[in-house]
Each structure stands twice: as C-alpha cells, then as structure tokens.
Amino acid sequence: MKGGFVARGVWVLMVIALLLLTPASSPGVSGDINGPDRDGSDWVEERIRNMTLEQKVGQMFMVGFGNPGDQPAYEINDQIRTLIQEKHVGGVILFGRNVESPEQVGKLTGELQTMALSSSSGIPLFVAIDQEGGPIIRIREGVTLFPGNMALGATRDPNLAYEAGRITGMELRAMGINMNLAPVVDLNNNARNPVIGVRSFGEDPTWVAKMAEANIRGYHDGAVLTAVKHFPGHGDTAVDSHVDLPTISRDRKRMEEADLVPFRRAIAQGADAVMSAHVTFPAFEPSDLPATLSRRVLTDLLRNELGFDGVIMTDDMEMGAIAKRFGSAKAAVRAIRAGADMVLVCHTLSVQKESIEAVTQAVRSGEISEARIDRSVRRILELKSKKLGSQSILRKPQTEGDRIPERVGRKDFAEVARKVAQRAVTLVRDDQRHLPLDPQKQSRVLVLSAEGASELGEALRGQGFDPEVRKISLAPGGQEILEASRMAVESDAVIIGTFRAQMHPEQGDLVRALRATRKPVIVLGLDTPYDPMSFPEDGTYLALYSSHPVSLEAAAKAVAGKIPLSGRLPVTIPDMYPAGHGHDLEIPQGLD
C-alpha cells in the first residue's frame, strides 16, 4: 500500500512538472488543454515568469494575413506561420480574404491554434473578426446575417440586441473564433459621418448604452469575447480614419454627458476589451496626438477615471490616420507607452515584423520597462483564461469542426434576424398615403436600387408583384434619370432604394424626377436614414438601415401591408425629424 502511495505521488509530481514545462499540448481540431486550475491567476504568473521578452511582446500583437495581389488566404501561409512561430503573436484577426465557408473557417482556426500551441510559447490565440452585422461583416455565406446596430436601435428592444449577440457569438465560437471586435458603441451624431453610420445603435447615449449592454451579454452567453469601440467616440466625425486623422472638437462636458456614457456602461457590464479611436480629442489631449497614442486618453481617462482594467486594444496601425502621420512601427511603441495592451497590425508582414521588433528594442533600450510589458501580458493572459460559458480559451481553444453544420446558419437563428429586420422598418413619412400597395391593382412595379436590386425584386415578386428591376448608380447621371423616368411612366408604382443620398445628391434628383411622373414612389433607405435631406419634399420614405436580404424581404412585406410598422428613428434627421420619430402602421384588414 505504501509503495502504491509513493508511486502515485511520484506520478503526480511528474504530471505537474510536465504541465509547467509543456504549457500546452498540441490537440487536434477538438482539442482541450487539461490540468489543475489552468484558468487561475497562479498559471498566469507562472507563465509570465517563464516567458522570454520576445514571447511577451509577441502576445501584445494581433495580426492579419493575406496573399499577394489580394488573392484569398484560406489556409495558413508563410506570413502567419512566421508571425506565430517566430514572433509569438497573441492574436490573429480574420478578414474576408480568409473566409470561404464556415467549415473552412473552422478548419483554419483549428490549424492556427494547433500551430500556436505547438510553438515555443504554447499559448492559444485570440482569434478575432469584425462580424458586427450590417455592412461590416467578414463571413457572409452560411451564417446568420443581422441587419446591424442601427436596425437594432430602431427596434428599441434590448432583448433583440441580446439575441443578435448571442446567436452571432454561438456561430463564431462554433467556427473557432473567440473574439468579436464588437459592438460599436459610438454615437452617430453626424449625418455626414463616413465610417460609423449604421454601425452605431443611434445617437441617444442612454439607449445606445442599453442596447450595447444587452448585446455584450449576448456575446458572452454565446461564448465570445467582446471589444467595444472606438474609444472615446468616433461618431461625430466627417473624416474616415482609414484615410486620414479626424478631430472631434466637442468640449469635455459634452463628451462626458454623451460619448462616454455607453463606454461606462459597457465597462460596468464586463466588456473584455476596449478599442481606441484614431481620432484627436482636444478636450482630453491638447496636442495633435490621436487617442490611440495619447496617455491622457488611454491611461488617465480610460484606465484611471473610468476604471477599466481589461485589455486596451488599438485599431489597425496600418490605417491612414496612423501610418501616414506617425509610421506604424513608431506608433506601436507610442501606443504601448500611452497604455495600450494589444496592438493591431492587420496586413503587411514587413510592417508587422518592424512593429514587433520596434517594441522589443524599446524595452531593451529602457524606453519601455519590462514591468510595463508584464502588466499588459498579464491582462491578455487573464482574458484568455476567462470563462466563456463553461470553458475558457485556454481550456478549449479549438472547435469541433464536424459540428459546425448543426450550429451555424440554423433556421431558428434566421427567424430572429427576420424579426429584427421587420421590427426595424421605420415609416418616416407617407404624405400621400401610398402604403400599402395592392399587388392586385398595382402589380407592375419599377424597382430601382443601387444595392440589392435583384434581391429586392425577388422579395416583391414573393408578395405578388410583377417587378421590373434596374440597378442604378450611386450617383445617377442625366441619361440614367431620364431613362428611369420613362420606365416609371409605364409602371403602376415605383420602389427605389437609396443609399447615403445625402452624400450622393444625384439620388435626390432621381427621386424628384420619378415623383414628377405622378406615379406612387416608395423610397427605401438602405443605409443611414438621412436620405430625405436630399429630397425634402413630401413623399413616402421607409428607413430599413440595411440592404441585407432579410431587410429587403421586410421592405417587400411592409410595402404590401403584410407586417405592422413600429420602428423608430435612432438618430435625428437634421431640420426634419427628431430621434424617436416614426409612424405606426397596422396590417390592414384582409391583408394579414
């Protein structure tokens, strides 16, 4: 008996030693990291003590990968192999170039994790993506597509925001993606904002906070980490930070009362990461430094005043706002000095390597202390050990590839997306009472749209109409307008989808020309609902906030009077309609 006890004791000591010396196994696609309390703080501290400087710095980078000439990169290539095996990166972000199908994504993420687990650091990856819904989605086929945040905002139903997060999260995790760089919690309070728009829940800070809070809970229940963005607020800009450096000149009091409110609530809800904005804020940072490079913003405001102790991430350091003015590699060092824990460099291998090496050299030269690096790595490893459902990324970094078909793109998930789309439809105006159209009396409809024209036509055909479909330009010229007007004369009614018409005033010219034919004209807003600014005269306007198939299907049903309309504007249409505006329209008797 005594000999058995000693043998078992020796065996236990050997297992513990093996776990410390070999931090992670190299499991297959359904692998699991086992061991005593692998999620605990003891493991994090032990790991940090045993990491090299290069391994620590690598954990602080999230990278993307692609192939030359914009060719798809559906499989591991030399770029990502180098970054994982030699540079020890802590995260990989997937883009459309990496996505072919849910099954392919599951295979790719499994292979990425296997490579990370078998590397010298042995730490699983954050595998992240921008799957916000609406216009910013990387996986388009085989998954559930939600209309996006502004459509959710128009429903004014936090339960739907929760469900959108939960379903999206479940699908992502099934494919091996453990972090969604979402939700956007910026307030869209600038009608000419070129980069946020329908990515925002709206302009009211209280409602945006409520919707974001519910959305985050949904993602967590779907077993996916979140990264709220873009701190401290990207909504009131007229410049795209992908191109150049915007400035928001609001005073501090206004920022506190508006833009920071959703971030405060998201932090209280347990947001896992906060992504910084490549935007300058004179109210917080008097120099010309963007928030991403500002200690006053990242450390003094976010870390100390708002009390956020999670992972602070940068937006992509290859975006024009940073790369053109500061240089990506130098900016990576400045971002970490400012308080960032994780730096995104999403595209170019040479820039990625240069950035990682610049940070490593900054530590060796004393510009950044190793203790400062340790603080960031500690937050990163703690987040990787955070439970998502019943398992953390550390315990279960990979997915069960054979179960993807039963977990992704389910019919019950699609029904929730349809519900969001239908509840979002907002009747902004119907001055001549054109709605609903009767397919028995107004069957010949001319369908014009810059986005989703054929899908809209099919949706209307499904409601009994006989549509003639034409795709139009974003900025239709005189000949195109003339031809559309001639076609309208031969139709019973016209349905036109507009897309950011306030930025393409030619669409307003087309709407006016169509109305001049005296045929019923129904305008569908396929993006932000500011389009009536381009055609302020009386008419019929429905805001959809999306051109996804579920939204176009909802529009066809709304036009035919098959669904009630209850959506409300999440934003103000300047000098026309306030946020919260919208007309109810019940289903007419005999049409339900």
Side-chain angles (χ1 to χ4, degrees):
M1 179 68 70
K2 182 178 178 182
F5 176 79
V6 171
R8 285 194 300 273
V10 171
W11 180 83
V12 170
L13 289 173
M14 288 175 64
V15 170
I16 292 173
L18 181 62
L19 287 169
L20 291 175
L21 292 172
T22 309
S25 61
S26 302
V29 173
S30 59
D32 190 359
I33 298 181
N34 298 305
D37 193 23
R38 303 288 298 174
D39 296 342
S41 59
D42 290 346
W43 178 87
V44 172
E45 295 305 321
E46 181 70 23
R47 180 50 59 91
I48 291 173
R49 284 195 295 271
N50 288 297
M51 292 173 74
T52 66
L53 174 61
E54 287 77 10
Q55 289 171 342
K56 291 176 184 178
V57 171
Q59 280 295 303
M60 296 175 67
F61 281 82
M62 179 176 285
V63 299
F65 66 100
N67 283 325
D70 294 326
Q71 291 299 306
Y74 300 146
E75 300 175 345
I76 288 174
N77 62 11
D78 288 343
Q79 178 182 6
I80 196 61
R81 185 178 292 109
T82 296
L83 292 167
I84 292 174
Q85 294 182 336
E86 298 179 18
K87 296 302 180 183
H88 320 289
V89 294
V92 174
I93 178 171
L94 302 181
F95 289 89
R97 63 186 180 234
N98 306 119
V99 173
E100 184 178 33
S101 69
E103 290 77 13
Q104 169 267 328
V105 171
K107 182 174 183 291
L108 174 61
T109 60
E111 291 173 350
L112 289 169
Q113 292 289 17
T114 296
M115 180 174 290
L117 294 170
S118 61
S119 69
S120 61
S121 64
I123 299 173
L125 300 160
F126 289 132
V127 180
I129 200 165
D130 293 295
Q131 192 77 0
E132 299 173 8
I136 306 300
I137 50 173
R138 309 305 186 196
I139 309 175
R140 294 180 174 271
E141 301 297 329
V143 299
T144 305
L145 298 181
F146 284 90
N149 284 356
M150 193 167 284
L152 286 166
T155 72
R156 296 181 72 82
D157 188 345
N159 291 327
L160 290 177
Y162 168 84
E163 284 297 311
R166 184 182 68 86
I167 290 169
T168 302
M170 289 173 64
E171 293 191 334
L172 291 177
R173 195 63 191 269
M175 293 180 279
I177 297 167
N178 53 44
M179 175 179 279
N180 197 9
L181 303 184
V184 171
V185 300
D186 302 309
L187 309 180
N188 199 78
N189 35 36
N190 186 328
R192 300 192 67 80
N193 190 316
V195 67
I196 301 302
V198 292
R199 299 169 68 190
S200 167
F201 289 109
E203 69 178 34
D204 181 87
T206 301
W207 267 105
V208 170
K210 285 182 180 178
M211 300 299 279
E213 184 180 44
N215 200 227
I216 291 168
R217 281 193 293 106
Y219 279 119
H220 285 171
D221 287 352
V224 162
L225 298 169
T226 60
V228 296
K229 55 191 183 184
H230 307 80
F231 186 83
H234 204 323
D236 192 13
T237 61
V239 174
D240 185 347
S241 54
H242 291 84
V243 179
D244 208 341
L245 182 62
T247 295
I248 291 181
S249 300
R250 291 181 161 201
D251 61 35
R252 183 176 182 119
K253 183 174 184 294
R254 178 59 180 151
M255 292 289 294
E256 291 275 359
E257 293 174 347
D259 300 79
L260 293 185
V261 171
F263 286 101
R264 289 184 186 276
R265 285 282 292 273
I267 290 168
Q269 178 60 36
D272 308 292
V274 173
M275 178 180 286
S276 63
H278 296 334
V279 179
T280 62
F281 296 87
F284 301 118
E285 173 57 72
S287 74
D288 63 352
L289 287 179
T292 297
L293 307 183
S294 169
R295 182 174 181 81
R296 290 185 176 94
V297 174
L298 298 189
T299 297
D300 296 346
L301 178 61
L302 178 55
R303 190 71 78 198
N304 297 334
E305 289 188 39
L306 271 63
F308 179 62
D309 197 36
V311 172
I312 297 176
M313 306 176 71
T314 73
D315 210 337
D316 180 18
M317 302 298 268
E318 292 190 70
M319 288 164 58
I322 298 295
K324 288 180 181 179
R325 292 174 178 253
F326 303 97
S328 299
K330 291 180 180 178
V333 174
R334 298 180 73 165
I336 291 170
R337 290 177 59 193
D341 300 304
M342 200 156 205
V343 179
L344 268 69
V345 191
C346 296
H347 303 286
T348 312
L349 179 59
S350 60
V351 177
Q352 292 164 335
K353 291 171 68 175
E354 184 183 359
S355 299
I356 294 169
E357 289 159 6
V359 174
T360 305
Q361 182 56 37
V363 179
R364 296 197 186 284
S365 70
E367 183 180 355
I368 300 174
S369 72
E370 190 161 354
R372 164 69 189 84
I373 297 297
D374 287 352
R375 287 196 293 274
S376 287
V377 174
R378 184 173 293 109
R379 293 187 186 100
I380 290 165
L381 296 186
E382 286 175 347
L383 189 52
K384 290 182 177 182
S385 68
K386 175 179 177 176
K387 279 192 175 181
L388 297 168
S390 61
Q391 301 282 3
S392 68
I393 296 170
L394 280 171
R395 281 193 177 272
K396 194 165 185 67
Q398 296 167 305
T399 188
E400 298 168 286
D402 58 345
R403 300 194 66 183
I404 289 174
E406 68 188 64
R407 295 181 175 181
V408 178
R410 288 168 25 182
K411 289 183 178 179
D412 57 327
F413 291 173
E415 285 305 312
V416 178
R418 286 191 182 94
K419 184 176 182 180
V420 172
Q422 292 178 12
R423 290 273 303 277
V425 177
T426 305
L427 179 56
V428 177
R429 65 188 187 192
D430 186 22
D431 302 299
Q432 283 82 38
R433 303 290 181 93
H434 289 320
L435 293 177
L437 295 181
D438 184 349
Q440 300 300 318
K441 300 176 181 177
Q442 298 163 300
S443 63
R444 296 177 305 162
V445 292
L446 174 62
V447 177
L448 306 167
S449 186
E451 296 282 338
S454 60
E455 292 88 347
L456 178 56
E458 284 303 309
L460 287 162
R461 186 171 285 108
Q463 297 303 318
F465 294 99
D466 180 19
E468 183 171 1
V469 179
R470 289 289 185 275
K471 180 177 174 61
I472 60 172
S473 308
L474 278 173
Q479 188 60 40
E480 192 173 1
I481 291 173
L482 181 61
E483 180 62 24
S485 300
R486 287 173 178 165
M487 295 171 68
V489 171
E490 302 300 321
S491 304
D492 297 322
V494 181
I495 299 173
I496 175 171
T498 55
F499 192 93
R500 294 203 168 194
Q502 79 279 12
M503 297 183 183
H504 304 285
E506 296 88 350
Q507 293 180 37
D509 296 336
L510 174 56
V511 170
R512 280 188 287 271
L514 294 170
R515 287 176 179 167
T517 66
R518 300 192 178 279
K519 295 301 175 84
V521 177
I522 314 298
V523 182
L524 307 176
L526 305 181
D527 196 75
T528 51
Y530 304 114
D531 294 352
M533 295 168 63
S534 292
F535 38 88
E537 304 83 5
D538 291 349
T540 301
Y541 180 76
L542 289 167
L544 309 184
Y545 314 100
S546 162
S547 58
H548 282 336
V550 288
S551 297
L552 300 176
E553 177 187 296
K557 290 183 175 181
V559 168
K562 298 296 181 63
I563 57 172
L565 303 183
S566 60
R568 294 293 181 265
L569 286 174
V571 294
T572 296
I573 302 178
D575 301 320
M576 296 186 73
Y577 303 102
H581 169 81
H583 298 291
D584 289 332
L585 188 65
E586 299 299 325
I587 300 175
Q589 287 188 340
L591 290 181
D592 57 349

